Amino acid sequence: MFYGESDGYIDPSLPKLDPKALTQLQQQAAKDLAKRTIPGGVIVLLALLISAYYSPIIDDAPLFTYVLFAFMGIVFLCRLYVVLSFLKQPQALDKWLKQLFAVFFISATTWGVYVAVCLYLYQTLFTNMVILMFTIGIGAGALTSLFIWKRLAQMYLCMIFLPIILSTVLKWNLSTISILFGLVSYMIFLLVQATRANAEYWQSLYLTKILQQQTSEL
C-alpha cells in the first residue's frame, strides 16, 4: 500500500518486489523515520521556550504564552510516546502513520501560528528575527528527518510556513516584503529537496533489497 503512495517513490524501471519484501522495506523505513524524529521534538520545544522568554509576547499576552508552553509540552510527550512505542514494539504501519501525522500536524501548526502571531504583533522587532532563525533551523531539521515519508515532510513544512506567510501578507508593508519573499523561496526549496531526498532514499533501499534477494537465490 505504502510503496509509491505514502513514501512518494515510484520507479517503473525496477523489478517489483513481492508483498513480503515490500512490508519489510516499509518497516525498515518506518524505524529509520522514528529514530530521526526524536531530536526534533526537543529542538522545537526549546526553541519555543527560549524565543518566547525573550519576546515581548510573554509580557503582553502571558496567558497565551503559558498555555502555548503547556500545549507544546503535551504535544512533545505525545510525539515521544508514539515514536518510542513503535521502536519498542512495531505495530501496524497504517495506525502508526496516522498517529504520527496527527502529532506532527499539531506540532507544526502550533509553531507556525506562534511565529505568525509574533510577526503580526511586532513585525521586524529583533526578537522576531531570532524566531525566524529558529524557524529556518526547524525547517531544515524537518527536511533531514521527515523526507523518508514525503507527504509527512510536505505537510509539516507547509503547516510551519503557511501561517507565517499569511501573517506577513496581512501586515503588508515594505519591511515585510523581503520576509515574505525569503519565506516563500525557502519553503519551495525545502519541498523540492525533500522530494529529491525521498526518491534517493527509497531507490537505495529498494536496490539493496533486490540485491539481497538475488544473493539469496544464488
Side-chain angles (χ1 to χ4, degrees), residues 28-67:
Q28 181 179 341
K31 289 180 181 179
D32 289 344
L33 175 63
K35 292 175 183 177
R36 288 170 178 265
T37 58
I38 294 176
V42 179
I43 294 172
V44 173
L45 184 60
L46 289 177
L48 176 64
L49 294 173
I50 295 171
S51 61
Y53 181 78
Y54 290 102
S55 172
I57 196 170
I58 198 168
D59 295 320
D60 296 339
L63 179 60
F64 169 78
T65 307
Y66 291 122
V67 169

Side-chain angles (χ1 to χ4, degrees), residues 169-185:
V169 171
L170 292 176
K171 277 284 186 176
W172 184 264
N173 54 55
L174 291 177
S175 62
T176 59
I177 292 176
S178 58
I179 296 176
L180 177 63
F181 177 78
L183 288 174
V184 172
S185 301

